[in-house]
Amino acid sequence: MKVKLKRLPGRHPVYTTVGYWSWDKPDNKGTLTIEVSKMKDWRHELAVWGHEIIEVFYCWLFGVTTEEADKFDSFYEAEYAAGRISPEDEAGDDRRCPYHWGHMGGVVWEHIVIRVTFASMVRYAEECNAIMGI
């Protein structure tokens, strides 16, 4: 498996997120690309990198494809645009989300990293929201 890591200068160009993963071939085949927004505090960025790695490997293990995840994320983007869901509500928190449990594992990672590096969860959330324009 080939893995490509990319730091984005701002938010993801399609989704309201600071982290994104995708496989370049159907059914989680080919090259895995993980993209994370550049952040001011390295501890915040480490939290996002770990979250994405946990989430994508959950999906790989349980067969949740990039296409399935993107379809759900696109649904959420439409809900944000229509004002039916707040942009602060993450798609992965929704139990209908195909990668929900991988996302929740990633959230646990975020909390651990922020706490053991003596960073602030409040500042972490503020930086993520600022990058996403929330």
Side-chain angles (χ1 to χ4, degrees), residues 62-121:
F62 291 100
V64 178
T65 66
T66 298
E67 296 79 18
E68 291 170 309
D70 284 353
K71 181 178 178 184
F72 193 81
D73 289 345
S74 294
F75 161 74
Y76 250 67
E77 290 298 325
E79 294 294 289
Y80 296 150
R84 288 188 288 268
I85 296 176
S86 167
E88 290 183 0
D89 295 336
E90 294 186 53
D93 291 340
D94 189 319
R95 288 186 175 266
R96 298 172 295 172
C97 179
Y99 57 86
H100 171 71
W101 291 111
H103 171 80
M104 298 313 293
V107 169
V108 170
W109 166 264
E110 291 175 49
H111 284 269
I112 291 169
V113 166
I114 295 302
R115 282 176 173 72
V116 302
T117 61
F118 301 102
S120 162
M121 269 318 276

Side-chain angles (χ1 to χ4, degrees), residues 33-90:
T33 300
I34 301 173
E35 301 170 317
V36 171
S37 299
K38 184 177 180 184
M39 303 181 109
K40 294 175 188 171
D41 189 326
W42 66 268
R43 299 171 295 183
H44 299 172
E45 204 169 308
L46 177 62
V48 178
W49 281 111
H51 176 113
E52 294 307 310
I53 290 167
I54 290 166
E55 191 173 277
V56 73
F57 280 101
Y58 168 89
C59 291
W60 184 57
L61 183 63
F62 291 100
V64 178
T65 66
T66 298
E67 296 79 18
E68 291 170 309
D70 284 353
K71 181 178 178 184
F72 193 81
D73 289 345
S74 294
F75 161 74
Y76 250 67
E77 290 298 325
E79 294 294 289
Y80 296 150
R84 288 188 288 268
I85 296 176
S86 167
E88 290 183 0
D89 295 336
E90 294 186 53

Side-chain angles (χ1 to χ4, degrees), residues 13-33:
V14 177
Y15 300 112
T16 306
T17 188
V18 293
Y20 176 76
W21 55 265
S22 64
W23 298 88
D24 67 349
K25 294 187 179 157
D27 300 319
N28 297 348
K29 304 273 192 253
T31 300
L32 167 63
T33 300

